Amino acid sequence: MVVWTDFERTTIQDIFSKIDYAVVGQAAFSRCLIVYPWTQRYFGQFGNLYNAAAIASNPKVAAHGKVIMEALEKAVKDMDNIKATYAELSALHSEKLQVDPDNFMLLGDCLTIVVASQLGKNFTAEVHAAFQKFLAVVVSSLRRQYY
Amino acid sequence: MTDTQRPFVQKTTEENADMSLSGKDKAVVKNFWGKVAPKAAEIGGEALGRMLTSYPQTKTYFSHWADLSPGSAQVKKHGATIMAAVGDAVSKIDDLTGGLSTLSELHAFKLRVDPANFRILAHNLILCMAMFFPGDFTPEVHLSVDKFLQNVAFALSEKYR
């Protein structure tokens, strides 16, 4: 059972209330596809991913970035039940999409970097730690249904 | 044996690791480092502080320090030392294994840092670079810097076994 301090709860909710899901989602997801190109293997149907410029302007990438942020919001809204919240998504990623779960943290790292660039000095070490902890819990929940 | 003597044999993993930085990667890293250099000490201190806070397992290597909080003098000083070494690695980018040989021995025999932690520190360095230089740290720069730090980590682990 994950124990959240008041600071952690407030911090996570605060971050998600401040960021624009479309902007941050697109930035994080496209960065992941560019910096870790092997992650493109799961997105054959997204069209042109041939280079950084193509990825950055790809509308399917942008749309999917937003989808990812909206899915993360579910965890933000119910931080004491993240395991249950993601049970279905975990099964989806393991059985249908067959994503190597090591990739989840790559996207998590890119998201952290994008949020850090956006918030600047407000992304203090304590805020950073809370955000990494939140993502670690999300990733752990997404890994649960793999067998 | 040089490549011209065995042109059709696949390169070994070590050669690949050292050679995986393209000319473009090196140029991008050097160029970006030119911008980072004035803030290097600050970035190093921040990155180390964040690593100790967000990845508490890394604190095990610094149990001899009195204060492991992000703003502490020891953390800032050591972060600056690390970042100076990264800057030195940039200048030795054409031969990281040779250039970092002494540091590798230090980490292998004296400090005995598990090499997995190099990746953790690299992530925090990258994050701080993105925070301090949001406009310059584009995905392409991020890619080259990530590769560079991976190569540095590999060079640092060369002497381990």
Side-chain angles (χ1 to χ4, degrees), chain A residues 31 35 112 120 123 128-129 132, chain B residues 50 54-55 123-124 137 142:
Chain A
R31 195 168 277 254
V35 178
T112 310
F123 197 68
H128 176 179
Q132 299 267 192
Chain B
R50 280 157 191 280
S54 293
Y55 301 88
H123 167 65
N124 283 282
F137 201 68
H142 181 167

Side-chain angles (χ1 to χ4, degrees), chain A:
Chain A
M1 175 63 193
V2 185
V3 178
W4 300 104
T5 64
D6 287 338
F7 172 80
E8 285 163 350
R9 278 181 207 275
T10 328
T11 298
I12 299 303
Q13 273 144 15
D14 190 51
I15 291 176
F16 275 81
S17 71
K18 282 195 175 105
I19 57 180
D20 180 324
Y21 290 1
V23 169
V24 169
Q26 190 272 341
F29 183 48
S30 61
R31 195 168 277 254
C32 184
L33 294 171
I34 293 168
V35 178
Y36 307 108
W38 55 92
T39 56
Q40 292 167 23
R41 74 189 300 281
Y42 304 109
F43 302 102
Q45 72 283 28
F46 274 30
N48 187 356
L49 298 176
Y50 297 137
N51 54 39
I55 293 171
S57 56
N58 185 312
K60 288 187 175 177
V61 168
H64 197 65
K66 191 165 176 233
V67 162
I68 293 170
M69 295 309 292
E70 283 161 354
L72 282 172
E73 190 188 52
K74 293 189 185 157
V76 177
K77 290 201 155 126
D78 194 4
M79 286 173 69
D80 294 307
N81 262 316
I82 296 181
K83 252 189 326 201
T85 305
Y86 286 141
E88 258 184 61
L89 264 178
S90 177
L92 174 76
H93 282 77
S94 108
E95 283 159 38
K96 187 162 174 268
L97 306 175
Q98 298 191 314
V99 177
D100 177 351
D102 284 344
N103 290 308
F104 297 149
M105 215 49 205
L106 296 179
L107 178 58
D109 285 349
C110 287
L111 178 58
T112 310
I113 286 160
V114 168
V115 168
S117 326
Q118 285 232 330
L119 299 182
K121 296 285 167 167
N122 290 325
F123 197 68
T124 62
E126 292 78 24
V127 168
H128 176 179
F131 197 70
Q132 299 267 192
K133 179 176 166 179
F134 171 72
L135 288 178
V137 173
V138 166
V139 166
S140 164
S141 308
L142 279 175
R143 292 184 87 118
R144 283 198 101 236
Q145 304 298 331
Y146 279 72
Y147 62 91

Side-chain angles (χ1 to χ4, degrees), chain B residues 87-156:
Chain B
D88 187 52
V90 173
S91 71
K92 295 171 175 166
I93 204 168
D94 291 313
D95 179 19
L96 287 170
T97 312
L100 297 177
S101 169
T102 317
L103 265 180
S104 179
E105 281 173 6
L106 175 74
H107 284 78
F109 303 126
K110 188 157 178 269
L111 304 175
R112 285 181 290 200
V113 176
D114 185 323
N117 294 295
F118 298 150
R119 208 205 156 264
I120 296 177
L121 179 57
H123 167 65
N124 283 282
L125 284 170
I126 281 173
L127 185 134
C128 288
M129 289 186 215
M131 271 178 63
F132 279 68
F133 298 95
D136 295 299
F137 201 68
T138 61
E140 291 96 322
V141 170
H142 181 167
L143 168 57
S144 295
V145 171
D146 191 89
K147 282 174 77 176
F148 167 67
L149 289 175
Q150 215 176 54
N151 275 267
V152 167
F154 186 82
L156 278 178

Side-chain angles (χ1 to χ4, degrees), chain B residues 28-41:
Chain B
V28 167
V29 167
K30 284 181 181 167
N31 180 262
F32 182 67
W33 188 261
K35 297 180 180 146
V36 164
K39 293 266 184 184

Side-chain angles (χ1 to χ4, degrees), chain B residues 48 62 64-69 71-80:
Chain B
L48 184 62
F62 301 100
H64 54 288
W65 284 358
D67 185 359
L68 287 169
S69 61
S72 95
Q74 272 170 321
V75 171
K76 282 186 181 171
K77 181 166 175 260
H78 197 62

